[in-house]
Amino acid sequence: MRNTLKISVAIAAASAVALGASACSAPSDTTASDKGDKNAPLVVAASPTPHGSILDFVKNELAEKEDLKLVVKPFNDYKIPNKVTDDGQVDANFFQHKPFLDTFNKENGTHIVPVQNVLIEPLGVYSKKIDKLSELKSGSTVSVPNDPSNEGRALKLLADNGVITLKPGVGSDAKLTDVKDDKGIKITELEAAQTAPRIDDVDAAIINGNFAIGAHLKPSKDALALEKAKDNPYANFLAVKKGNESDPRIKKLAKLLNSPEVKKFIEDKYKDGSVIPAFGPAKS
C-alpha cells in the first residue's frame, strides 16, 4: 500500500528541568573521585522517577551498612546525564537502556558502559482524547520519542496494536522509513521528555515509563496499550565511564541495586506494573 506518511518534527531543547543549570555541574565536594579518592561520595545522575526514587531508597535505607556515601543528582533529560558522566562531573548514571546508550555513544563520541541491570519500564500509549486505539483514524496525530532506540520501540508498539504496518522483518529497530502503511496517521516526533507535557497537542502519545510516572499517569489504568515486559531487551542499568567499572563504590551500589530490599521496594511502590525488577549483570 502507498505510504502516505506525514511527519512533523518538533524537537524540544534538552534541559535539566529538575535542577536547572545547577544540575549540570556537581559541586566540587561531590566530585572528589576526580582526585582518586574512592572514599568520596558516589555521585549518580538519574531520572527523578523511578530511578531517582530507587537511588534515594538505597541512600536512605541501605547505603550506610555498606559504608557507601551516595549523592543523587536528578535530571529530567536524556542527554545531559551521559555527558556529565563522560566528563567526570558525576561518577555514574541510572536512566537508560542499551539500545539508547549504543546510539548515544556512537553519535556523541562518549565512552559510557553498562554495569548492572535493575529494571524495565514498559512503553505505553496514552491519550486525553480517545478511549481506545481503534478510534485513531486517518488524520489522527500520534507523538513518538525522537531518539532512535525509543522511536523504534514506539513504532513497533503501534504496529503490534494494528495502528500502523511496518515492513516485513522490521522490529524494535524500526525507523519512520520502515512504515509500510501509516493508515493516514500523522506521526509527530518529540524529544522524549516532551511527550507527556504535550499530550494535549496530539490524539495519542507514546510515553516512556519514567515520564508517564512523572506526569501522574498510571500505566495499568491509563495506557491504551502497554509494551510487554516478557523478553523485553530494554532493561535500565547503572552505567559508568569506561574504566570505572571496578570502582569499589560502583560495585557496592550495583550490589545494593540488585538486593532483595530493592526488589521489594520496586514491587511495592510500582504495583501497577509500570516498573518491573530486571536484575543481573548488564551486557557491554
Side-chain angles (χ1 to χ4, degrees), residues 133-134 136 155-166 181-183 185 225:
L133 290 180
S134 61
L136 292 173
L155 293 174
K156 184 177 186 299
L157 181 59
L158 291 175
D160 287 345
N161 287 275
V163 178
I164 62 173
T165 302
L166 295 175
D181 181 14
D182 62 18
K183 303 181 182 180
I185 303 296

Side-chain angles (χ1 to χ4, degrees), residues 11-17 24 76-81 83 191 193-194:
I11 304 177
S15 60
V17 177
C24 299
N76 215 355
D77 178 84
Y78 275 4
K79 298 178 181 178
I80 298 175
K83 292 180 179 179
E191 195 271 329
Q194 292 299 311

Side-chain angles (χ1 to χ4, degrees), residues 74-133:
F75 288 84
N76 215 355
D77 178 84
Y78 275 4
K79 298 178 181 178
I80 298 175
N82 277 331
K83 292 180 179 179
V84 294
T85 303
D86 195 66
D87 67 20
Q89 293 186 56
V90 301
D91 301 301
N93 66 55
F94 177 33
F95 75 100
Q96 65 192 321
H97 52 63
K98 188 66 162 52
F100 178 87
L101 176 60
D102 288 345
T103 299
F104 190 93
N105 278 336
K106 182 178 180 180
E107 293 182 350
N108 295 276
T110 46
H111 303 85
I112 308 300
V113 295
V115 176
Q116 197 77 17
N117 289 334
V118 182
L119 60 88
I120 289 173
E121 302 166 86
L123 210 63
V125 186
Y126 300 86
S127 177
K128 296 293 183 67
K129 299 179 181 179
I130 62 173
D131 296 318
K132 51 187 177 180
L133 290 180

Side-chain angles (χ1 to χ4, degrees), residues 131-174:
D131 296 318
K132 51 187 177 180
L133 290 180
S134 61
E135 295 178 35
L136 292 173
K137 55 189 178 181
S138 180
S140 295
T141 53
V142 178
S143 64
V144 299
N146 68 354
D147 59 276
S149 58
N150 284 308
E151 183 170 90
R153 291 174 73 187
L155 293 174
K156 184 177 186 299
L157 181 59
L158 291 175
D160 287 345
N161 287 275
V163 178
I164 62 173
T165 302
L166 295 175
K167 295 176 182 177
V170 176
S172 56
D173 58 346

